[in-house]
Amino acid sequence: MKRKFQIIGILIITLLTYFNVVQAQGYKINKVVIDAGHGGTDPGCIGSKTKEKDIALLLATKLGDYIKQYFPTVKVIYTRSTDTFVELYKRAQIANDNKADLFISIHCNANPSKAPYGSETYVMGLHKSQANLDVAQKENASILMEDSYITNYDGFEPNTEEAYIIFSLYQNAYLDLSQNLAIKIQKQMKEKVGLYDRGVKQAGFLVLYKTAMPSILFEAGFLSNLKDEEFLSTAKGQDYVASGLFRAFKEYKNELEKNSMDKDKEDSVPEIKNDTLPYHTIVKDISKEVNDTLVNNIVFKIQFATCDVKKPINSPDFKELKDVQEVYHNGLYKYLTGNEKKSGDALALLKKVHDLGFKDAFIVAFQNGERISPQQAMKLIKKN
């Protein structure tokens, strides 16, 4: 365990120099890449009567149609529009080459047991449970169908846990915005679609780690669960899920751009109207993210939680954390701790926060009370 945190610490300092943080101010969503998982020779999960590749493509197409209908100025780009196999690295490459502003990857889940059900949304990061790692390994196994996967993925081996520790740190630069969208998606799935809310999670997905923009991976439900599969196999169920994804996209876009969509048009997007939703849940999960103030020079803090509702500083959810700081940013409440002058002290604090159970907490930087990118912080430290 001690060695694992040492590895993480070294990697954080190394990777900080490569991060290019998205600035929310002036941020516009002009291009969206929608990725239907699997395809062609790669069926993905297989249910009793459905295949993940087919459900994912239907959901991706419906989501794209909604965006094109209600936001005609937004360019929608698909990584695949037919039943074809596209390598994972090429999916990220499509997004990067098109300078996309958002990447949405759509999948379905499965489990050896027929009991698990519901939707969950992932952002790139360190898995904090074996279940999260299992999902990432399942989706990443697609690379084994590629001829040169060792070369294409820098020697990454999808079945080794250590590989996930290394490459999952890349997406921290976009974690704030990615989690913002992920939280909105899960809220829609719970309140408008009726799928059981399994929460917002982090894990190392190959399809996300090289995308140079906010990115999420959505698991629509479990094809191994008979009720989930039945719901996802119907045109109505697919419409509900796609409309839920669209509503989350719309809210995310309008929040960042301070726009609003015509209410009459919004009401025409389908949603389940009744009070008894199929798999309704009241499960609530805290995510993680960024921001705060200080006054002089560069300081490092640990961001350990992000939430769409305000929590008291002394919330029992924050366990034994001291000096908890709250900042409202991009429509979310961010919670941080610490005020470290040295990166080594920040790493030591990060380990303590991890030990308290906040496994996907990470380091953020500020100068003279203003948030700066980790890249800027490291450059300034080296310069001085």
Side-chain angles (χ1 to χ4, degrees):
M1 182 63 72
K2 182 178 179 181
R3 174 165 173 74
K4 180 183 286 189
F5 282 115
Q6 288 174 339
I7 293 172
I8 293 171
I10 293 168
L11 288 166
I12 288 173
I13 294 301
T14 303
L15 293 172
L16 285 177
T17 61
Y18 295 100
F19 289 157
N20 178 23
V21 177
V22 172
Q23 299 299 319
Q25 190 171 8
Y27 178 53
K28 298 286 185 182
I29 300 178
N30 299 312
K31 296 178 185 177
V32 178
V33 169
I34 303 177
D35 171 50
H38 308 278
T41 56
D42 176 16
C45 305
I46 299 177
S48 63
K49 60 180 180 179
T50 59
K51 295 178 181 178
E52 180 181 4
K53 67 174 185 177
D54 299 325
I55 301 295
L57 184 57
L58 288 166
L59 293 176
T61 302
K62 288 175 182 287
L63 171 60
D65 287 344
Y66 281 132
I67 294 174
K68 287 186 280 189
Q69 180 180 353
Y70 295 111
F71 291 104
T73 60
V74 175
K75 183 177 181 180
V76 175
I77 301 162
Y78 299 102
T79 58
R80 69 179 181 96
S81 56
T82 59
D83 184 18
T84 54
F85 178 71
V86 181
E87 293 89 341
L88 292 186
Y89 78 94
K90 287 185 179 178
R91 297 171 191 247
Q93 188 176 312
I94 289 169
N96 293 339
D97 289 348
N98 283 280
K99 295 181 170 57
D101 304 297
L102 190 62
F103 182 87
I104 299 173
S105 187
I106 299 175
H107 292 256
C108 297
N109 222 329
N111 192 283
S113 166
K114 293 184 178 180
Y117 59 94
S119 71
E120 55 195 23
T121 304
Y122 283 86
V123 296
M124 189 67 195
L126 286 167
H127 61 274
K128 63 177 181 178
S129 72
Q130 182 62 43
N132 292 9
L133 176 62
D134 290 344
V135 174
Q137 288 179 326
K138 173 178 68 69
E139 301 296 359
N140 291 340
S142 296
I143 71 171
L144 298 176
M145 298 183 180
E146 301 177 24
D147 293 333
S148 306
Y149 80 89
I150 294 292
T151 302
N152 292 338
Y153 302 99
D154 306 318
F156 177 83
E157 288 284 358
N159 296 320
T160 62
E161 184 172 355
E162 216 166 47
Y164 288 85
I165 296 174
I166 293 173
F167 92 136
S168 63
L169 296 170
Y170 276 92
Q171 262 288 325
N172 278 355
Y174 305 102
L175 195 55
D176 186 11
L177 295 174
S178 300
Q179 284 190 326
N180 189 344
L181 174 60
I183 288 171
K184 288 173 169 51
I185 288 173
Q186 284 306 119
K187 184 177 181 182
Q188 287 292 326
M189 294 303 136
K190 171 185 171 182
E191 297 179 359
K192 301 293 187 181
V193 180
L195 286 170
Y196 183 89
D197 176 17
R198 297 176 63 88
V200 174
K201 302 177 180 180
Q202 292 191 21
F205 290 94
L206 282 167
V207 75
L208 299 182
Y209 99 106
K210 283 191 176 180
T211 52
M213 72 284 303
S215 308
I216 62 95
L217 187 144
F218 172 65
E219 297 277 4
F222 284 76
L223 298 186
S224 50
N225 179 273
L226 294 179
K227 287 186 177 180
D228 268 13
E229 184 186 22
E230 181 61 33
F231 182 69
L232 292 171
S233 68
T234 65
K236 182 177 286 189
Q238 293 157 16
D239 284 340
Y240 286 150
V241 173
S243 68
L245 288 170
F246 168 74
R247 288 173 182 275
F249 166 81
K250 179 264 305 181
E251 185 182 354
Y252 173 83
K253 174 178 167 62
N254 288 343
E255 183 179 276
L256 292 182
E257 299 178 3
K258 310 301 181 188
N259 294 330
S260 61
M261 190 173 80
D262 188 292
K263 191 70 173 69
D264 293 334
K265 288 184 178 180
E266 181 182 346
D267 287 343
S268 67
V269 180
E271 63 177 285
I272 294 177
K273 298 288 187 181
N274 58 28
D275 294 328
T276 309
L277 299 175
Y279 323 120
H280 205 61
T281 178
I282 53 174
V283 173
K284 186 75 176 174
D285 192 17
I286 296 180
S287 314
K288 315 0 174 194
E289 219 62 328
V290 105
N291 222 314
D292 188 292
T293 32
L294 195 85
V295 198
N296 246 308
N297 245 319
I298 294 172
V299 294
F300 296 98
K301 298 173 184 290
I302 307 301
Q303 175 142 346
F304 63 89
T306 300
C307 196
D308 57 350
V309 294
K310 186 181 177 71
K311 285 183 170 286
I313 294 299
N314 60 351
S315 169
D317 292 336
F318 299 158
K319 302 177 182 178
E320 301 171 22
L321 288 174
K322 308 296 183 184
D323 184 32
V324 174
Q325 305 147 31
E326 174 196 280
V327 170
Y328 185 73
H329 181 247
N330 286 346
L332 297 171
Y333 293 93
K334 320 297 175 59
Y335 296 92
L336 307 94
T337 186
N339 188 34
E340 311 303 321
K341 294 283 188 180
K342 297 178 181 178
S343 58
D345 293 338
L347 287 170
L349 179 58
L350 178 65
K351 181 185 182 305
K352 292 179 181 178
V353 174
H354 281 163
D355 288 343
L356 286 173
F358 300 95
K359 300 298 185 185
D360 44 3
F362 60 95
I363 298 172
V364 293
F366 299 86
Q367 183 184 33
N368 297 327
E370 295 294 326
R371 177 189 170 189
I372 62 173
S373 71
Q375 179 186 22
Q376 288 174 295
M378 296 307 294
K379 281 183 178 179
L380 288 167
I381 288 171
K382 288 180 179 180
K383 186 177 180 180
N384 295 329

